[in-house]
Amino acid sequence: MLFSNELSVIQQKMAASSAGIERRLEILKNLNFVKGQTILDIGCGGGHLLPDLALAVGKEGKILGLDPSEAQIEAAMTRCNKINNIELLRLPANKTNLQANSVDIVTSTQTLEYIKNVDSALEEIARVIKNKSQFVNVSILWDHFKFHGPENHLNELIHETFKDHCFHQMLPMELNMRLSRQGFENISSRGLPFLVTKRHENSPAKYSEEVLALFALKQGIPEDKVSDWRLQLSKAEEDGRFGFTSYPVITKANLK
Ligand SMILES: C[S@@+](CC[C@H](N)C(=O)[O-])C[C@H]1O[C@@H](n2cnc3c(N)ncnc32)[C@H](O)[C@@H]1O
């Protein structure tokens, strides 16, 4: 999926929602920071994680935010322009142009599943990260990314169409094996599932609904079907029977 202008704006609202905050907190809790470290965030998007990483490593440290999307890198520049030790790289994960063994920590959130040749991205991470250093990833089990409106045939139609939005629907299920092949050890995963029952401004459901609707229209689903789907979700919320579930997974590993 291309994170160009329209999608980039919705994605950044999603990153600012409760779901985005929770996964960033989880990543920060799972890292052992030392002042002066260099940290690479792969698929940094609008740069929401970068300021906290910069605080954690102090002025002597360095944060690299990498993303191939022009719109996302521009948003990250705006967010981080007052922080001197953040550098943004408009590059893909499998070609970072960084020196081998030059990074102390690599983080990535909801990005690896969008990369067709995910092994080439993992190989590049293993190349740039120092021995014994930490890699922390959050990816979503997309089979569990579901809207629970009352009309199941409409939910299913939209969910089915959305399957095409990324290359690896269930990446956390196979990430441990893929990391181990690249020389990582101490690999562990933990689910961070959630349910939301509201579609307000701080709810990931609001922005997920916008993304799915946009994607369905682009995939040729008729406008009236997409509007019907959104109307039934709105009615379900009014009736107190709306639900949206997602199942992110945090995976930690160290290079040997
Ligand atoms: C869902 S966004 C997540 C952004 C950010 N990590 C966050 O949690 O808010 C996915 C990001 O992956 C980026 N992306 C897509 N393909 C990529 C690739 N080959 N290498 C690095 N990033 C990529 C997109 O441009 C987009 O910004």
Side-chain angles (χ1 to χ4, degrees):
M1 189 154 77
L2 256 184
F3 287 82
S4 50
N5 294 341
E6 196 177 13
L7 207 54
S8 159
V9 170
I10 306 176
Q11 196 281 317
Q12 283 159 48
K13 289 183 181 165
M14 174 89 91
S17 77
S18 58
I21 295 169
E22 273 169 33
R23 60 196 193 180
R24 285 195 293 284
L25 284 177
E26 204 56 41
I27 288 175
L28 294 169
K29 271 198 298 198
N30 276 283
L31 289 170
N32 303 318
F33 295 108
V34 178
K35 294 277 173 206
Q37 284 176 323
T38 297
I39 305 183
L40 169 64
D41 186 34
I42 302 261
C44 66
H48 291 75
L49 180 63
L50 307 180
D52 283 330
L53 295 177
L55 271 180
V57 298
K59 284 185 198 135
E60 320 81 51
K62 186 172 178 184
I63 306 304
L64 304 164
L66 176 140
D67 201 294
S69 154
E70 187 177 1
Q72 297 283 68
I73 286 288
E74 271 175 16
M77 270 177 186
T78 307
R79 180 175 311 284
C80 303
N81 68 358
K82 295 206 171 77
I83 311 175
N84 291 331
N85 59 343
I86 295 180
E87 192 181 319
L88 297 164
L89 310 169
R90 194 181 157 208
L91 289 168
N94 60 354
K95 206 171 183 306
T96 66
N97 288 346
L98 297 172
Q99 278 190 355
N101 306 318
S102 60
V103 172
D104 297 290
I105 293 175
V106 177
T107 58
S108 189
T109 310
Q110 200 194 321
T111 294
L112 292 183
E113 55 260 62
Y114 297 112
I115 303 178
K116 191 171 184 181
N117 188 350
V118 66
D119 290 326
S120 72
L122 295 175
E123 193 181 341
E124 179 69 351
I125 293 170
R127 186 186 72 79
V128 300
I129 200 170
K130 295 176 186 168
N131 289 351
K132 308 284 174 206
S133 294
Q134 296 173 286
F135 171 53
V136 178
N137 181 72
V138 174
S139 284
I140 293 179
L141 291 172
W142 290 99
D143 283 0
H144 301 286
F145 186 87
K146 298 247 184 247
F147 281 89
H148 301 265
E151 292 187 43
N152 208 31
H153 68 283
L154 283 174
N155 298 321
E156 286 307 315
L157 174 75
I158 303 289
H159 293 151
E160 203 47 42
T161 318
F162 198 56
K163 283 198 169 147
D164 273 352
H165 98 288
C166 77
F167 292 109
H168 306 279
Q169 291 288 314
M170 297 291 274
L171 184 65
M173 296 289 190
E174 56 195 55
L175 188 57
N176 298 15
M177 171 194 75
R178 290 179 187 272
L179 283 169
S180 158
R181 280 188 198 149
Q182 299 296 339
F184 285 88
E185 60 181 5
N186 303 322
I187 307 168
S188 63
S189 298
R190 198 163 66 78
L192 311 168
F194 65 84
L195 157 72
V196 292
T197 55
K198 298 285 179 203
R199 294 155 69 247
H200 53 63
E201 294 294 313
N202 190 33
S203 165
K206 178 177 164 64
Y207 306 111
S208 300
E209 179 186 324
E210 285 177 21
V211 171
L212 264 65
L214 204 66
F215 195 80
L217 291 172
K218 284 194 176 143
Q219 296 287 99
I221 302 291
E223 230 175 301
D224 59 333
K225 286 267 181 236
V226 177
S227 307
D228 282 355
W229 175 63
R230 299 191 77 172
L231 270 176
Q232 56 115 27
L233 294 182
S234 166
K235 179 79 176 52
E237 187 186 15
E238 271 171 41
D239 296 345
R241 55 179 302 205
F242 168 75
F244 165 69
T245 55
S246 181
Y247 205 123
V249 175
I250 185 161
T251 302
K252 299 193 289 178
N254 295 91
L255 195 66
K256 278 182 192 156

